[in-house]
Amino acid sequence: MGKDTNLGTKESPLATLNMALRKARNMRRLGDPSIKNGIRIILMDGTYLLNESVFIRPEDSGTAESPTIIEAETNAHPVLSGGISITNWKRAGAINGLKPGLIWVADAPKKAGNILDFRQLWVNNKKATRAKSTSGSEMDRILSWNIEEETCWIPFKDKSVSFEPGMEMFIQQWWAIANLRIKNMEIKGDSAKLYFEQPESRIQSEHPWPAPWISEKTGNSAFYLNNALCLLDEPGEWYLDKANSKIYYYQKEGEDMSSVKVIAPVLENLVEIKGTVDNPVQYVYFMGISFQYSNWLRPSKQGHVPIQAGMYLLDAYKLKEPGTPDKAGLENQAWIGRPRAAVEVNYSNNIHFQECTFEHLSSTGLDLNKGTNNNLVQGNLFKDIGGSAINVGVFSEEAIEHHLPYNPKDEREVCSNETIADNLITDVTNEDWGCVGISAGCVKDITIAHNTISDVSYTGIGLGWGWTKTINAMKGNKVVANKITHYGKHLYDTAGIYTLSAQPESVIKENVIDSIYFNPYAHDPYHWFYLYTDEGSAYFTVKDNWIPSEKVFLNANGPDIVWTNNNAFVSEQIKQNAGIRSPYKYLLKEKEIDKNWPLQEAPHFAAVELVGDGFDNTKIKEISKVNGVIDAQLYQWENHMVLYAKMNHVEHLKNELSLEYPNAKIKTYNAPVYNFNKFEHCKDSDLASEWEHILLTANLIEDEKLQDEYLQYHKTQFEAWPEVAEGFCNADFQQLQVFKNGRQLILAISIPKGASFDELNPKTTEDNPRVDDWNALMKKYQTGIEGTKPDETWVFLEKLN
């Protein structure tokens, strides 16, 4: 057992890291010759309960030749913990009509006679659920929001619920959430009117973006109430009764409360590294250290209304007359604050975090805030974090309106030359859903590379701030070879990688992005993307990123964004190279994926056919766009209108078109029965950057046995008739798909944009007689659709503008 009066050797260890830093500081002050090659502060195995933050000053700095290294002993797993254990649990009586003994109670921890406040509780290393009004992952939807009154009407059918002081509303709105402290509740029949505390009441109703969502089509903003004893009704929920100094917990099946480990967070900040612009902290390395159990109390004290990426509003309102010196059309003003972090770094250079663990944290994990340069964050695990895993760079100063370009007079304030690489970021943003896996604000020359990010509520990597095309401090940033998967769990207007504002010489390349969660409460169920360059994004190169389809969004971009080869056809080497590299791949065993949460269907080529009269091309394209169709193309033959494009939720699109054209016969062609693409089947696999599609249609003959033969031939064609695919390669067909609905076939041939189908098609049979044999064989199975001439089989559909 260590003591802070000990010598600080292995045989006579110190008790606290702060005392070890003090001793090291003195050795540097006195020029001790033993530290020529560095100072090593070695943490032995165990949990170090912090009574105060570890504060690292400029005087703790090392040098390149003599760094200060804070590291784990070999095979040890030291934990710096900001938590406190809750023990002596006893069975409570009947609560909320539940059988006595299901709910347990313990004395709430105190310090200096005052109840310790906290918003999270961990039971056996799993975050428990703060008592709330809905079951599991379900949410209710608001009825309305009154901006002038600053009130909200909600459905209120459970009469066992009543207003309790401290009750809060958690509301989902577009790309952010809000935590609102409820001041009063006025119940009328099956509805309740909510009044909120200040300042969040005013900010929530005055700020225009993102506001509560009201929509008959997709549903109003989702919400639940929480933090009241009357809401404690589901296993795994807990409640802190500050008035009576008690904690209540609804035991899960199989939990033994006599041995269960229950931790409440106390400290908001575990480690603070802070210098000044002229005297930064330098050359301090953390290696193999675990940072656990941080608190975050601002929502309990002032509410929490974020604008984006977890940055909360200090003030915000809509302009009566839009326009600012930087942006003529801007209609809103906002000033933001920044959430606390377990580890905060300011004015510090050459700080390393390697093979550390950031886990069970209430807000941000690691924050490289201001004036940080040449720091390394590599090979770390970020898991079970309420906010962003990593924040880096100033987003905007609290005193400066956050749309203004960030251009400090002293460039040393700009975070630069940071390297964030080979980290596993998983199950983060699980408290503030609008936070980001890695969130970079106004930064320059930073590298975010080879990270694996999964199970995120919103966006994987966000880069930039300010919504401005104006050149500013941001430049030279690189987002390279990251693997981002299972994101967008709770909020849309999202992407695997998202950017804002002008960033000259910046590159986003060779990343792999897939598997977005299906979001049941999204304001717009189709407003999600793999890559998203948002307002003001300019001077980027975006290339060679593997994404399942070109579901990307370029919104109000500035000049000089170059997009090249972002699709499902990048090289296999790029796909294999993305994500964590050796020697850090052992981290992947910690990767979280919520298997109970469904995924969005990746957009894919499909067709929808409308048969009838009176179709409006513009209207069909409008309906398609609203329903997530990518680059809708319309084709027509006689009274057949065919939409061919990349889409998902094809049956939903059919239903939407049916509402507009109730008398039309509408058929869907969702999955091809045959799919050739150049990338997989041709030696020259380079694809054209833009395609044109040729559509034809025919019927199979009525004989079902022969229909089955036709399908079987196509299933085995690549093996038994390889010359057919070779012919398609010779003709430079980019893709050829055959769809089937009933007897009807739709053939879609994709060729390079600007090429002539009449010139390319004969090349399929050039010096290739087996293709003629194939075509002759297929005639046995095909016939024309209704309305064709007796000698017609395949008919071309005319492309419409």
Side-chain angles (χ1 to χ4, degrees), residues 88-110:
N88 299 320
W89 291 90
K90 299 177 181 178
R91 293 183 185 274
I95 293 177
N96 297 336
L98 296 168
K99 179 181 176 182
L102 291 177
I103 292 178
W104 292 70
V105 61
D107 291 331
K110 294 183 178 180

Side-chain angles (χ1 to χ4, degrees), residues 109-116 245:
K110 294 183 178 180
K111 187 172 184 178
N114 298 315
I115 296 294
L116 292 174
S245 304

Side-chain angles (χ1 to χ4, degrees), residues 441-706:
C442 300
V443 294
K444 67 176 183 179
D445 298 320
I446 76 164
T447 299
I448 301 172
H450 288 284
N451 302 284
T452 295
I453 302 174
S454 73
D455 208 64
V456 182
S457 297
Y458 179 48
T459 290
I461 297 174
L463 179 62
W465 198 253
W467 292 264
T468 177
K469 302 174 185 177
T470 303
I471 299 293
N472 57 83
M474 294 181 281
K475 67 175 183 179
N477 299 311
K478 300 176 180 61
V479 179
V480 180
N482 300 281
K483 187 171 185 178
I484 303 167
T485 181
H486 294 80
Y487 64 99
K489 189 173 186 179
H490 295 294
L491 299 175
Y492 280 177
D493 194 33
T494 184
I497 299 174
Y498 169 93
T499 69
L500 278 171
S501 298
Q503 301 185 44
E505 303 171 30
S506 294
V507 176
I508 298 171
K509 68 176 183 178
E510 298 178 9
N511 301 281
V512 170
I513 306 169
D514 65 14
S515 301
I516 183 167
Y517 282 117
F518 176 79
N519 184 340
Y521 299 109
H523 71 287
D524 181 342
Y526 302 100
H527 202 65
W528 58 268
F529 308 95
Y530 298 115
L531 296 165
Y532 186 166
T533 50
D534 202 2
E535 289 191 51
S537 294
Y539 312 106
F540 276 97
T541 296
V542 185
K543 68 177 183 178
D544 296 332
N545 296 286
W546 188 93
I547 53 178
S549 67
E550 294 81 3
K551 189 168 174 56
V552 301
F553 193 31
L554 287 69
N555 181 46
N557 288 174
D560 295 337
I561 294 189
V562 178
W563 289 74
T564 307
N565 194 33
N566 302 287
N567 50 45
F569 306 117
V570 301
S571 74
E572 187 65 24
Q573 183 178 359
I574 287 176
K575 290 177 65 176
Q576 295 299 323
N577 191 47
I580 294 174
R581 299 166 293 187
S582 295
Y584 305 108
K585 286 190 175 182
Y586 68 89
L587 290 169
L588 293 173
K589 68 179 185 296
E590 297 285 347
K591 183 177 177 181
E592 291 286 341
I593 292 173
D594 192 338
K595 295 181 181 178
N596 295 318
W597 208 276
L599 296 175
Q600 281 278 7
E601 179 184 6
H604 57 282
F605 279 106
V608 179
E609 179 185 29
L610 299 87
V611 183
D613 298 303
F615 301 128
D616 183 329
N617 300 356
T618 301
K619 188 65 179 179
I620 292 174
K621 286 194 173 185
E622 286 177 358
I623 293 171
S624 299
K625 184 176 182 180
V626 168
N627 287 278
V629 175
I630 301 171
D631 191 24
Q633 303 290 315
L634 291 176
Y635 300 79
Q636 188 170 20
W637 180 81
E638 302 292 342
N639 66 339
H640 294 254
M641 178 82 75
V642 175
L643 166 67
Y644 180 71
K646 285 191 172 181
M647 59 186 87
N648 60 353
H649 301 293
V650 179
E651 291 302 318
H652 178 79
L653 175 62
K654 173 186 174 182
N655 293 337
E656 293 293 297
L657 291 169
S658 296
L659 293 174
E660 184 69 23
Y661 300 108
N663 297 321
K665 181 180 179 181
I666 302 180
K667 300 166 66 175
T668 60
Y669 301 81
N670 191 18
V673 296
Y674 173 80
N675 187 16
F676 161 88
N677 70 69
K678 179 181 177 182
F679 182 76
E680 292 183 2
H681 297 288
C682 302
K683 293 178 181 178
D684 172 16
S685 60
D686 291 337
L687 296 172
S689 58
E690 295 183 86
W691 298 358
E692 292 181 355
H693 310 294
I694 314 300
L695 261 63
L696 302 89
T697 187
N699 268 347
L700 291 175
I701 61 175
E702 294 186 4
D703 189 315
E704 293 185 2
K705 182 179 179 181
L706 293 180

Side-chain angles (χ1 to χ4, degrees), residues 182-412:
I182 300 172
K183 184 176 182 180
N184 197 11
M185 180 186 295
E186 184 180 302
I187 301 171
K188 291 185 178 180
D190 289 340
S191 302
K193 188 178 186 180
L194 303 182
Y195 299 81
F196 305 102
E197 298 283 0
Q198 298 291 0
E200 66 265 37
S201 179
R202 172 184 57 81
I203 293 172
Q204 167 71 0
S205 286
E206 280 194 339
H207 87 284
W209 307 106
W213 181 254
I214 304 295
S215 171
E216 291 184 5
K217 183 175 181 179
T218 61
N220 297 344
S221 275
F223 81 97
Y224 57 74
L225 307 181
N226 67 359
N227 197 40
L229 184 60
C230 64
L231 303 176
L232 187 63
D233 59 2
E234 192 170 24
E237 289 188 337
W238 68 279
Y239 171 66
L240 172 62
D241 183 352
K242 289 188 282 187
N244 296 297
S245 304
K246 299 294 181 183
I247 303 175
Y248 295 92
Y249 177 69
Y250 191 156
Q251 175 186 11
K252 286 184 177 180
E253 185 177 353
E255 284 179 337
D256 181 357
M257 295 304 293
S258 65
S259 62
V260 73
K261 175 186 174 185
V262 181
I263 305 292
V266 179
L267 296 180
E268 292 193 298
N269 171 249
L270 309 184
V271 176
E272 183 174 11
I273 306 173
K274 188 174 184 179
T276 68
V277 69
D278 293 314
N279 191 15
V281 180
Q282 300 190 78
Y283 295 102
V284 176
Y285 302 161
F286 285 85
M287 304 177 69
I289 308 299
S290 182
F291 308 93
Q292 295 188 8
Y293 300 112
S294 67
N295 204 358
W296 191 45
L297 292 176
R298 189 179 193 281
S300 297
K301 296 177 179 179
Q302 294 179 281
H304 180 56
V305 185
I307 182 70
Q308 190 164 310
M311 303 298 148
Y312 54 82
L313 292 166
L314 300 168
D315 195 10
Y317 53 86
K318 189 170 184 177
L319 296 169
K320 292 182 180 179
E321 296 184 15
T324 66
D326 183 66
K327 200 168 185 179
L330 186 68
E331 64 176 359
N332 63 305
Q333 298 277 270
W335 292 261
I336 63 169
R338 188 185 191 102
R340 295 302 306 272
V343 178
E344 297 177 351
V345 185
N346 285 276
Y347 296 112
S348 300
N349 305 329
N350 298 291
I351 309 298
H352 292 187
F353 294 91
Q354 291 180 279
E355 298 189 71
C356 294
T357 296
F358 297 77
E359 192 171 18
H360 311 318
L361 306 174
S362 297
S363 185
T364 309
L366 173 62
D367 192 348
L368 306 175
N369 184 353
K370 189 175 185 179
T372 66
N373 301 279
N374 299 295
N375 299 303
L376 175 66
V377 181
Q378 187 170 35
N380 303 286
L381 170 64
F382 294 84
K383 185 176 182 180
D384 183 18
I385 295 175
S388 298
I390 303 170
N391 278 341
V392 54
V394 169
F395 285 76
S396 59
E397 303 282 11
E398 288 190 0
I400 305 298
E401 204 283 319
H402 84 142
H403 294 95
L404 295 176
Y406 179 68
N407 265 318
K409 291 182 179 179
D410 191 334
E411 290 191 357
R412 292 176 297 173

